[in-house]
Amino acid sequence: MIKLGLIGQSIQKSSAPLLHTLLGELHNIPVMYDLHEPADKSPEAFAFTLNRLREEGYTGCNVTFPYKQIAINHATNTNEAVKRVGSTNTLSFIGETVSAANTDYSGFIRGFKSRLGEQPAGNVLLIGAGGVGRAIAFALFDVGATQVMIYDVHEASARSLSESMCAAGLNARFVTKNDIGDAAMDADGLVNCTPIGHYKTPGNPLEQSLFGPQSWAFDAVYTPVDTEFLQVAHQKQMTIVSGFDLFLYQGLDAFTIFTGQAVDAPSVLARFKEKFNVKSQFISY
């Protein structure tokens, strides 16, 4: 039996336990996957939860909002994606060693290509500069982004991310609230990396009038999959990359890190949809 878990806030409806236990069944590996919500959003609360998992013999854990940047401080080793992005969503434990990876980064690239093939991302407006936003912002340049325009309600966060990307030689700039309309009109793709659209924070982070001229859209939220953001994009006939795409591929990559087992994505998705009766217009493999 290997023990895995997820640390984050508002994770009660996460499908991660379903995915990882199914992956265990398919590979004859008994898996226990638990959800762990720290007492609050502080670094101290995260550290307490992480230490408890290590003491209880967990093989590793996934990390989600709002701890993806905090978690790096607890890593002994970090892979290249983590070093580039500055956040982690996957921690694995061997003895006293904590290794950090970022499967949001790799998972987004796989999800994007599964929907758009080799079509370049082009000019992209990204909303939300937190942990997942950082991973997606950097990953966009691996799928042909020419520029990433970054907006966040906390302008300092958007500015910091754009500066980090420019320092890495990437074409990025932050966008103010007054400029977001013009940025959307200039974009080939729209990306939501905020929690807006989540079942606990419903809504749309972008005015509906700003959808239309773009060719594709991605929403990191997957509970629910059919977010208002994606529904509007679909109505405007944009190609959809859903939060479920990211959830699936980051989960498969994390499982490989935890167990060393390579996973065939189409067969897993077919079994997942069948076993758990998953239905969404944006899950169409």
Side-chain angles (χ1 to χ4, degrees), residues 13-239:
K13 293 188 178 182
S14 172
S15 296
L18 303 180
L19 177 61
H20 283 273
T21 53
L22 174 61
L23 288 169
E25 291 173 14
L26 294 176
H27 293 86
N28 297 313
I29 301 172
V31 171
M32 180 186 77
Y33 193 106
D34 296 326
L35 302 177
H36 301 272
E37 188 165 325
D40 54 51
K41 297 179 181 180
S42 69
E44 293 77 15
F46 173 80
F48 178 84
T49 303
L50 178 65
N51 290 336
R52 179 166 53 81
L53 267 58
R54 295 183 64 193
E55 291 169 358
E56 293 177 1
Y58 279 66
T59 297
C61 68
N62 293 120
V63 180
T64 191
F65 177 83
Y67 305 113
K68 292 183 179 183
Q69 290 169 272
I70 293 171
I72 292 179
N73 298 327
H74 299 272
T76 311
N77 299 321
T78 56
N79 70 2
E80 288 304 313
V82 173
K83 292 174 183 176
R84 189 179 192 197
V85 171
S87 67
T88 178
N89 72 324
T90 302
L91 300 175
S92 54
F93 316 137
I94 300 178
E96 296 301 313
T97 300
V98 178
S99 297
N102 195 309
T103 64
D104 284 336
Y105 182 96
S106 59
F108 172 78
I109 293 170
R110 294 179 68 184
F112 183 95
K113 290 184 174 181
S114 75
R115 297 288 189 169
L116 290 103
E118 296 304 313
Q119 177 181 325
N123 201 23
V124 182
L125 171 62
L126 181 145
I127 307 169
V132 70
R134 295 185 69 89
I136 303 309
F138 280 93
L140 280 164
F141 287 92
D142 286 284
V143 292
T146 53
Q147 178 183 221
V148 174
M149 303 171 287
I150 305 163
Y151 172 76
D152 195 287
V153 292
H154 304 291
E155 185 176 307
S157 297
R159 186 189 296 271
S160 174
L161 176 54
S162 66
E163 289 174 351
S164 295
M165 297 179 72
C166 289
L170 303 175
N171 184 14
R173 65 182 177 91
F174 75 93
V175 174
T176 67
K177 184 176 182 179
N178 292 335
D179 295 332
I180 193 169
D182 289 339
M185 292 299 103
D186 289 340
D188 299 299
L190 299 176
V191 171
N192 175 37
C193 289
T194 76
I196 299 174
H198 188 271
Y199 73 94
K200 283 208 169 183
T201 51
N204 191 334
L206 191 65
E207 292 289 336
Q208 291 192 23
S209 62
L210 298 179
F211 290 77
Q214 309 85 8
S215 63
W216 65 272
F218 164 73
D219 195 339
V221 174
Y222 78 94
T223 48
V225 177
D226 299 353
T227 62
E228 184 178 327
F229 181 88
L230 290 187
Q231 290 182 50
V232 175
H234 180 67
Q235 291 166 8
K236 298 294 184 178
Q237 300 183 322
M238 298 162 65
T239 301

